[in-house]
Amino acid sequence: MLKMHRSERMVMLTKILSDSPGKVFTLGYFSEMFGVAKSTISEDIDILESTFRNFELGFIKTIPGASGGVIFIPSLGTEKTKDLLNFLCRELEKKERILPGGYLYMLDIIYNPEIVSNIGRIFAGEFFSRDVDYVVTVETKGIPLAFITAKYMNAPLVIVRHYSEATDGASVNINYVSGYSKKVQTMVLSIKALKRNSRLLFIDDFMKGGGTAKGIVELAKEFDCEVAGIGVLIKTAEPEKKLVDDYFSILTLDNVNEADATVKISPSERFNY
Amino acid sequence: MLKMHRSERMVMLTKILSDSPGKVFTLGYFSEMFGVAKSTISEDIDILESTFRNFELGFIKTIPGASGGVIFIPSLGTEKTKDLLNFLCRELEKKERILPGGYLYMLDIIYNPEIVSNIGRIFAGEFFSRDVDYVVTVETKGIPLAFITAKYMNAPLVIVRHYSEATDGASVNINYVSGYSKKVQTMVLSIKALKRNSRLLFIDDFMKGGGTAKGIVELAKEFDCEVAGIGVLIKTAEPEKKLVDDYFSILTLDNVNEADATVKISPSERFNY
């Protein structure tokens, strides 16, 4: 392996670590890759760690001991979070987004890779310490958000569907009741999708009554799994009491008034800037 | 802005550019951010460019002129592509993946963030030069793949659905015929989803007859848009003639033999290692 200058090593270290969030790399791995002493790598990591910290690019953590190494944990810095939430509120309050029935058009937001990636960083920062084995969502609109969160948490994504397909193989089906409209719906998940005794993080774009989240809690039980976290981009202010208790929401939709053509949406309590 | 050492600037440059693929950053932007001369940034970019090139981490391109700057274009290097394709073939040929009806279980592969990201790098490398405005897919299984490709290409994702929902607003519906099973299906896309005269890249996990891809070509016409590229992870060897001509596939599924419990899958012609 040819020797590199520090600046080249910094490029490689940054790229490798940030491309594989949540994955532990040993100093020995880099030492061999770059053909330099572990002590040199250690100094490189110090620079990386302080640069990431100073500019709120996420966290570089060193895990001591024999199975130790270095790991990148994504997050979104305070300023960037504030900017993103302000942008989202301003954008989602535009009256042209109001749809018949008091719905909001937001597909352009929840399918936008840059926005979704930043929201995923907020979720990853929030849930990283919960030791999650899978990130779960229900098709369709939450999939980009759940996928990028899964990527940032180094966990496989699992997509629960409404109808089974031949390509699922054998599946577990449950019925659940939407928390708000009281409509009975079906959730289908391939039997191969989850290992028993796993910890799940449920990610979705929207929570009204919390029926879908509660459905996921029920479905998890059928796989002997536990929901270790629930994260949603937007919760509605009403009903205040959801069917699940412990969830994290980024924005709160207070109301959509079709008659006045006004929307009121704000960062959730947690983001009290 | 405090002055940084080169190694710290390299960390920042790598992180900023690789977090925003396809986005042009001016030298002036970095010069101001780091408080150093443009010539210094120019030297930094040279180091970045050669490190990325030497280790096949994607491409750093400098665009000359007044509106110029520097841009990161993701790709997957030759060796990593080879490793990925070998891994995928070995993995997908496992007999326990065979489902009744000769289907293959592959949800764990197409929802795995690390694998999907690498496949997305192949698509981005292939299609970057086609000047794509949107990446389009049809729900559900291709969404992670299409989303990460959209992210790497700095284009919004558009998801075509089978049923319309209130949150879509007004939508365009078309019927299309699956190329293989001859089943009539519906595609629904929100009218707000695409700007007229856009160029679309269609990404999907699987192509048998090509009916879905052809449906997307028809749907695009309704929006005065053009399909500028089609990329699929796996195409089937049979039927050889698909309903669309110009498409790029990564793997070719020759056959699934339920009786013998054998699967034959290989890298597509393009990857002739």
Side-chain angles (χ1 to χ4, degrees):
Chain A
M1 175 71 226
L2 79 168
K3 279 217 178 176
M4 287 188 274
H5 290 111
R6 167 152 286 155
S7 46
E8 294 163 317
R9 289 199 308 270
M10 298 314 295
V11 170
M12 294 289 286
L13 283 169
T14 307
K15 189 80 171 78
I16 292 170
L17 282 165
S18 65
D19 276 354
S20 296
K23 190 164 161 179
V24 180
F25 292 91
T26 63
L27 295 192
Y29 173 80
F30 290 124
S31 153
E32 192 172 319
M33 176 180 283
F34 302 148
V36 295
K38 281 191 197 172
S39 57
T40 310
I41 297 294
S42 208
E43 288 166 29
D44 292 348
I45 298 290
D46 285 348
I47 298 170
L48 198 69
E49 193 280 322
S50 67
T51 312
F52 270 61
R53 184 161 29 82
N54 292 337
F55 297 92
E56 296 195 309
L57 302 176
F59 301 98
I60 300 289
K61 289 206 169 146
T62 303
I63 299 161
S67 64
V70 60
I71 184 173
F72 168 62
I73 299 172
S75 74
L76 195 69
T78 320
E79 277 310 303
K80 281 189 200 146
T81 301
K82 202 170 161 177
D83 289 349
L84 175 66
L85 301 194
N86 285 337
F87 164 80
L88 287 174
C89 291
R90 267 198 331 267
E91 188 57 46
L92 290 168
E93 284 186 345
K94 286 184 177 165
K95 65 175 187 296
E96 56 269 33
R97 291 189 172 274
I98 301 174
L99 296 172
Y103 294 97
L104 268 192
Y105 184 80
M106 45 184 236
L107 298 182
D108 56 331
I109 300 285
I110 59 175
Y111 296 166
N112 177 301
E114 194 175 349
I115 297 172
V116 167
S117 297
N118 282 328
I119 300 168
R121 287 186 179 98
I122 298 180
F123 284 140
E126 175 71 21
F127 292 112
F128 211 95
S129 59
R130 295 215 195 164
D131 242 340
V132 159
D133 300 300
Y134 297 91
V135 174
V136 180
T137 194
V138 178
E139 62 179 350
T140 300
K141 300 198 295 293
I143 298 176
L145 208 45
F147 174 75
I148 202 78
T149 305
K151 179 171 159 68
Y152 289 155
M153 296 187 70
N154 192 31
L157 172 68
V158 169
I159 301 177
V160 174
R161 305 192 60 172
H162 291 300
Y163 308 91
S164 63
E165 273 196 34
T167 48
D168 288 345
S171 60
V172 173
N173 291 28
I174 70 159
N175 291 320
Y176 69 103
V177 181
S178 124
Y180 199 78
S181 68
K182 307 289 180 207
K183 216 171 72 182
V184 177
Q185 289 190 280
T186 306
M187 281 186 183
V188 178
L189 185 58
S190 167
I191 281 180
K192 294 175 194 277
L194 294 174
K195 290 203 180 82
R196 306 267 145 187
N197 303 311
S198 299
R199 291 166 63 79
L200 316 181
L201 170 61
F202 174 61
I203 294 289
D204 211 352
D205 59 317
F206 203 81
M207 183 189 286
K208 201 164 187 175
T212 307
K214 185 148 182 277
I216 290 290
V217 172
E218 297 302 319
L219 184 65
K221 285 182 194 157
E222 299 298 327
F223 286 82
D224 297 329
C225 290
E226 183 194 345
V227 174
I230 298 172
V232 297
L233 173 57
I234 302 177
K235 70 152 195 247
T236 53
E238 294 295 330
E240 204 189 321
K241 178 94 187 115
K242 311 291 188 198
L243 291 175
V244 287
D245 291 321
D246 180 24
Y247 65 93
F248 167 75
S249 83
I250 295 178
L251 301 172
T252 300
L253 179 63
D254 289 301
N255 70 72
V256 180
N257 189 322
E258 264 189 283
D260 295 357
T262 56
V263 181
K264 178 82 189 71
I265 188 164
S266 48
S268 295
E269 305 76 9
R270 168 83 62 99
F271 302 97
N272 209 345
Y273 298 126
Chain B
M1 176 71 226
L2 80 167
K3 281 220 180 174
M4 287 189 275
H5 290 112
R6 167 152 285 155
S7 46
E8 294 164 315
R9 289 198 308 270
M10 297 316 295
V11 170
M12 294 290 285
L13 283 170
T14 307
K15 188 81 171 80
I16 292 170
L17 283 165
S18 65
D19 276 356
S20 296
K23 191 163 162 180
V24 180
F25 292 91
T26 62
L27 295 191
Y29 173 81
F30 290 124
S31 152
E32 194 172 317
M33 176 180 283
F34 303 149
V36 295
K38 281 191 198 173
S39 56
T40 310
I41 297 294
S42 210
E43 287 166 29
D44 292 347
I45 298 291
D46 285 346
I47 298 171
L48 199 67
E49 193 279 323
S50 67
T51 312
F52 270 62
R53 184 160 31 80
N54 291 337
F55 297 93
E56 297 196 306
L57 302 175
F59 301 98
I60 300 288
K61 289 206 167 142
T62 303
I63 300 162
S67 65
V70 60
I71 185 174
F72 167 62
I73 300 172
S75 75
L76 196 69
T78 321
E79 276 310 303
K80 281 189 200 147
T81 301
K82 201 170 162 177
D83 289 349
L84 175 65
L85 300 194
N86 285 337
F87 164 79
L88 287 174
C89 291
R90 267 197 331 267
E91 188 57 45
L92 291 168
E93 284 186 344
K94 287 184 176 164
K95 65 175 188 296
E96 56 269 33
R97 291 189 172 275
I98 302 174
L99 296 172
Y103 294 98
L104 268 193
Y105 184 80
M106 46 184 236
L107 299 182
D108 55 331
I109 300 283
I110 60 176
Y111 295 166
N112 177 301
E114 196 176 347
I115 297 171
V116 167
S117 298
N118 282 328
I119 299 168
R121 286 187 180 97
I122 298 179
F123 284 140
E126 175 71 20
F127 292 112
F128 211 94
S129 59
R130 295 216 195 163
D131 243 339
V132 159
D133 299 302
Y134 296 91
V135 174
V136 180
T137 194
V138 177
E139 61 180 351
T140 300
K141 300 198 296 292
I143 298 177
L145 208 46
F147 174 75
I148 202 77
T149 305
K151 180 171 159 70
Y152 290 153
M153 297 188 68
N154 192 31
L157 172 68
V158 169
I159 300 177
V160 174
R161 304 192 60 173
H162 291 300
Y163 307 92
S164 63
E165 273 197 34
T167 47
D168 288 344
S171 60
V172 172
N173 292 27
I174 69 158
N175 292 319
Y176 70 104
V177 180
S178 125
Y180 199 77
S181 67
K182 306 291 180 204
K183 216 170 73 181
V184 177
Q185 290 190 281
T186 306
M187 280 187 184
V188 178
L189 186 58
S190 167
I191 281 180
K192 293 175 196 274
L194 293 175
K195 290 204 180 80
R196 306 267 144 187
N197 303 312
S198 300
R199 291 167 63 80
L200 317 181
L201 170 61
F202 174 60
I203 293 289
D204 211 352
D205 58 317
F206 203 81
M207 184 189 284
K208 201 164 189 176
T212 307
K214 186 148 182 276
I216 291 289
V217 171
E218 296 303 319
L219 184 64
K221 284 183 194 156
E222 298 299 325
F223 287 82
D224 296 329
C225 290
E226 183 195 344
V227 174
I230 297 173
V232 297
L233 173 58
I234 303 177
K235 71 152 195 246
T236 54
E238 293 296 328
E240 204 189 322
K241 179 96 187 113
K242 313 289 189 197
L243 292 174
V244 288
D245 290 321
D246 180 23
Y247 65 93
F248 167 75
S249 83
I250 295 179
L251 301 172
T252 300
L253 179 63
D254 289 300
N255 71 72
V256 179
N257 189 322
E258 266 189 282
D260 296 355
T262 55
V263 181
K264 179 82 190 70
I265 187 165
S266 47
S268 295
E269 304 76 11
R270 169 83 64 100
F271 302 97
N272 210 345
Y273 298 127

